[in-house]
Amino acid sequence: MIDLDERIARILQEHADGPVDTDRLVSVAVNGGRARRRRRRTLGTGLGLVALFGLLLTVIGAPRDVRTPDATATAGVLVPPPARGAAAGQRPELVGTDPATLHFGIDRSRARYLGWEVSPGLEGARLDVGGGRAVTVELARSSAVLRQYGITGLPGGVTTLAAESAFTGATLRAPAERGSTPVWVRHWRPGPGLYARATVTAETGAELDVAARALRLDETRHCAAPVRLTTLPPGARLAGCTVDAPAFPEALTVRLAVAGSGDRRMEISFQYARSIAEVRTQGNRMVGDRAAQLDRRDGAAQLELFGFPKAHLVAAFGWPYQGFTEADAATVLGGARVADDLTRPERWN
Amino acid sequence: MTFEEYVSSRGPALMRLARLLAGDEHRAEDLTQEVLTRAYVHWRRIVRSDRPDVYVRRMLVNAHNSWWRRRSNRELAIPTLVDRPHSGDLGGEAADRDEMWRLIAGLPDRQRAVLVLRYYEDLDDATIAEILGCSQVTVRTHAMRALATLRERSGLPTTNGSRP
């Protein structure tokens, strides 16, 4: 009789085996890595603009001008709340300048939000247009910005397709490994001064047409997140906001980028999932009256603040981030405010 | 060692590890590419560490765990995997292997990761602890729980020759 050790080893061997295209691993990683480096450089230059727009006031909790929530908004429906102010159709130069604001919206009769993002120079949304595959739509003020931003989960080469001449509205099939699900890309100019890109990994590119038609340039929405940072270290500011929730309301992830002078970077992440059963109440630090856990290893460092049911609130300030300290992380986490009801985006922030 | 040299020598092993952690070819490829892309950005720092391969494998395990947390279907998937009756007409040995793979795939992330690193990568507890960012005691606890679960669900006796 084969013992359990041997059975496990044999099963794992069977399921690990398979061809590996090493050349592709190298080329995709190198292209994607270069795109990320460009993105980080863009982040640095974009922060000056962000500061000019008085972002700090927003970060520390200035009152927001919020319209009446959508009549159709209900618990469990993921929609960024409406905001006041000019939209991308009227003021394209505002796109990607305020991490608290999306200068576009989505026709919800055509698409459903799975998430949204604002980074310096770029705004985006992840959509479900009914085909079962997430479509990423990004809006920028130049084709160069879209070339600089990689797309998570897609080969780095996809970004290089965003040449100025590519914004024709045509849907392209991006080069992909034989046998893998194709990647489709559409570049178009939705309005004067605006560049848009939609991508999807699917058998056909039909979903991109739906996503393009769903884009609305006459509305403004908050880059709402169920976590608000009310305190920041001196000289620091919010630099980016990402909400990713394809399984909402079962789960959601928020990432808030905090930046300081030069290359100082820190990321605050909030990950909620109903399936998280772990409850940690004892750590090795205290932040205010809450327990926290500081972990350091090989240059990486993160501080997690406990006390949020089924959720992790973490400030990552060590490698690959840099320039902030444990005290800075404690300052940010100490002032973090988590929404009472995670299922109602219209009440976030 | 350049990044290209590292991927040429260790890329296939990383991909195989990702297959076992993710249980899905496409997800495994995404996971490997994502981690290698990040590794490229920080390669100069990684290659200066004592054990770059341990570091990258740790990135892979963490990225996989983060991915599961983001999607929250980890625990929903487990009963589905475990309780699903056999489909098809697999014969005895094949059916046993299929069943064992389902049981392994249905283990909680950390327990499955320990089994993969121990039985597939053949790493010692100290290295596994380094990759997972936990103590060796925790590694052994995960291993014991995983093995107990596999024995219980596969109907094996509690003393079946597995490493403690």
Side-chain angles (χ1 to χ4, degrees):
Chain A
M1 182 177 177
I2 301 172
D3 69 18
L4 183 57
D5 284 345
E6 192 173 340
R7 286 178 68 183
I8 293 170
R10 187 178 295 180
I11 294 298
L12 293 177
Q13 187 71 48
E14 286 178 6
H15 285 269
D17 282 346
V20 178
D21 185 342
T22 307
D23 291 340
R24 176 178 156 78
L25 286 180
V26 172
S27 64
V28 173
V30 169
N31 288 334
R34 286 174 178 160
R36 285 190 185 200
R37 282 180 176 166
R38 288 194 295 270
R39 180 175 177 160
R40 291 169 71 195
R41 284 196 288 269
T42 302
L43 180 68
T45 55
L47 293 176
L49 289 174
V50 170
L52 289 175
F53 281 90
L55 176 65
L56 193 55
L57 287 175
T58 305
V59 174
I60 62 176
R64 313 187 87 163
D65 295 324
V66 181
R67 291 178 188 158
T68 304
D70 284 0
T72 54
T74 57
V77 178
L78 189 71
V79 181
R84 291 190 185 279
Q90 296 85 47
R91 300 277 307 279
E93 72 276 15
L94 295 181
V95 170
T97 59
D98 178 355
T101 304
L102 293 160
H103 294 91
F104 71 95
I106 294 298
D107 179 351
R108 290 175 53 209
S109 69
R110 298 180 186 272
R112 179 171 68 90
Y113 285 97
L114 301 177
W116 46 81
E117 174 186 7
V118 177
S119 293
L122 179 137
E123 298 175 11
R126 296 265 284 174
L127 306 175
D128 174 6
V129 299
R133 297 279 189 165
V135 179
T136 300
V137 175
E138 297 160 292
L139 196 63
R141 288 165 284 158
S142 73
S143 59
V145 170
L146 292 172
R147 287 195 296 277
Q148 289 166 348
Y149 278 85
I151 306 168
T152 302
L154 296 186
V158 171
T159 59
T160 65
L161 300 174
E164 185 74 20
S165 60
F167 288 78
T168 62
T171 295
L172 308 172
R173 178 173 173 161
E177 186 181 11
R178 184 181 300 171
S180 63
T181 306
V183 175
W184 300 89
V185 188
R186 175 184 170 125
H187 301 95
W188 77 103
R189 301 286 305 270
L194 292 171
Y195 292 76
R197 172 173 61 198
T199 50
V200 67
T201 302
E203 293 304 324
T204 78
E207 288 163 317
L208 300 187
D209 295 334
V210 181
R213 285 198 296 273
L215 186 63
R216 291 288 174 267
L217 300 177
D218 57 355
E219 56 185 75
T220 306
R221 292 183 175 270
H222 290 294
C223 190
V227 179
R228 184 165 58 94
L229 307 182
T230 66
T231 54
L232 292 176
R237 58 234 176 228
L238 187 67
C241 160
T242 302
V243 173
D244 185 21
F248 187 81
E250 297 294 321
L252 64 84
T253 298
V254 175
R255 289 190 174 79
L256 301 174
V258 173
S261 57
D263 291 332
R264 297 172 72 205
R265 300 283 182 277
M266 172 164 43
E267 182 185 84
I268 312 303
S269 64
F270 178 78
Q271 296 184 315
Y272 163 81
R274 283 184 182 166
S275 60
I276 293 177
E278 181 184 34
V279 177
R280 298 182 66 181
T281 56
Q282 294 191 330
N284 55 12
R285 295 286 190 280
M286 291 297 291
V287 175
D289 58 355
R290 288 178 185 266
Q293 178 73 32
L294 176 72
D295 290 313
R296 290 183 185 272
R297 181 178 289 268
D298 295 336
Q302 68 172 41
L303 184 65
E304 176 172 1
L305 187 62
F306 298 151
F308 303 100
K310 299 183 178 299
H312 298 286
L313 179 63
V314 175
F317 58 96
W319 183 86
Y321 307 100
Q322 60 184 347
F324 286 109
T325 64
E326 178 190 344
D328 294 329
T331 296
V332 175
L333 292 183
R337 299 289 177 264
V338 176
D340 293 333
D341 188 347
L342 299 177
T343 70
R344 304 192 73 102
E346 73 273 18
R347 296 181 183 173
W348 292 351
N349 291 354
Chain B
M1 178 169 47
T2 67
F3 178 78
E4 289 78 4
E5 288 169 345
Y6 172 78
V7 178
S8 295
S9 65
R10 295 295 300 159
L14 285 174
M15 182 67 187
R16 288 193 287 269
L17 176 59
R19 284 179 181 136
L20 295 176
L21 294 174
D24 171 85
E25 179 71 16
H26 293 298
R27 177 57 203 152
E29 185 173 335
D30 287 350
L31 193 61
T32 307
Q33 290 289 187
E34 169 68 17
V35 166
L36 288 177
T37 299
R38 284 164 47 199
Y40 175 83
V41 174
H42 304 287
W43 185 246
R44 276 189 295 182
R45 184 174 300 193
I46 291 173
V47 81
R48 283 201 303 267
S49 66
D50 291 340
R51 304 170 73 184
D53 194 42
V54 168
Y55 205 109
V56 176
R57 281 190 284 193
R58 181 167 170 239
M59 290 171 68
L60 188 79
V61 171
N62 287 339
H64 170 66
N65 291 341
S66 298
W67 182 78
W68 274 115
R69 278 201 300 270
R70 282 201 295 275
R71 281 148 185 81
S72 82
N73 55 3
R74 171 180 52 179
E75 295 195 3
L76 294 176
I78 291 168
T80 307
L81 281 165
V82 172
D83 298 339
R84 189 173 58 198
H86 287 305
S87 58
D89 301 319
L90 293 173
E93 189 178 347
D96 285 346
R97 290 203 303 269
D98 186 52
E99 174 66 12
M100 180 57 74
W101 171 244
R102 282 188 206 160
L103 293 175
I104 293 171
L107 291 171
D109 285 345
R110 304 284 280 187
Q111 292 182 22
R112 187 168 69 253
V114 167
L115 289 194
V116 168
L117 295 171
R118 191 183 219 195
Y119 288 99
Y120 179 72
E121 297 271 328
D122 203 23
L123 300 176
D124 57 36
D125 288 351
T127 305
I128 296 173
E130 192 175 351
I131 291 172
L132 296 182
C134 63
S135 69
Q136 294 185 49
V137 173
T138 302
V139 168
R140 287 192 283 273
T141 301
H142 284 315
M144 284 189 289
R145 287 178 179 168
L147 293 171
T149 300
L150 294 180
R151 285 195 196 99
E152 179 188 339
R153 294 184 177 173
S154 62
L156 290 171
T158 53
T159 54
N160 196 250
S162 59
R163 285 184 278 174

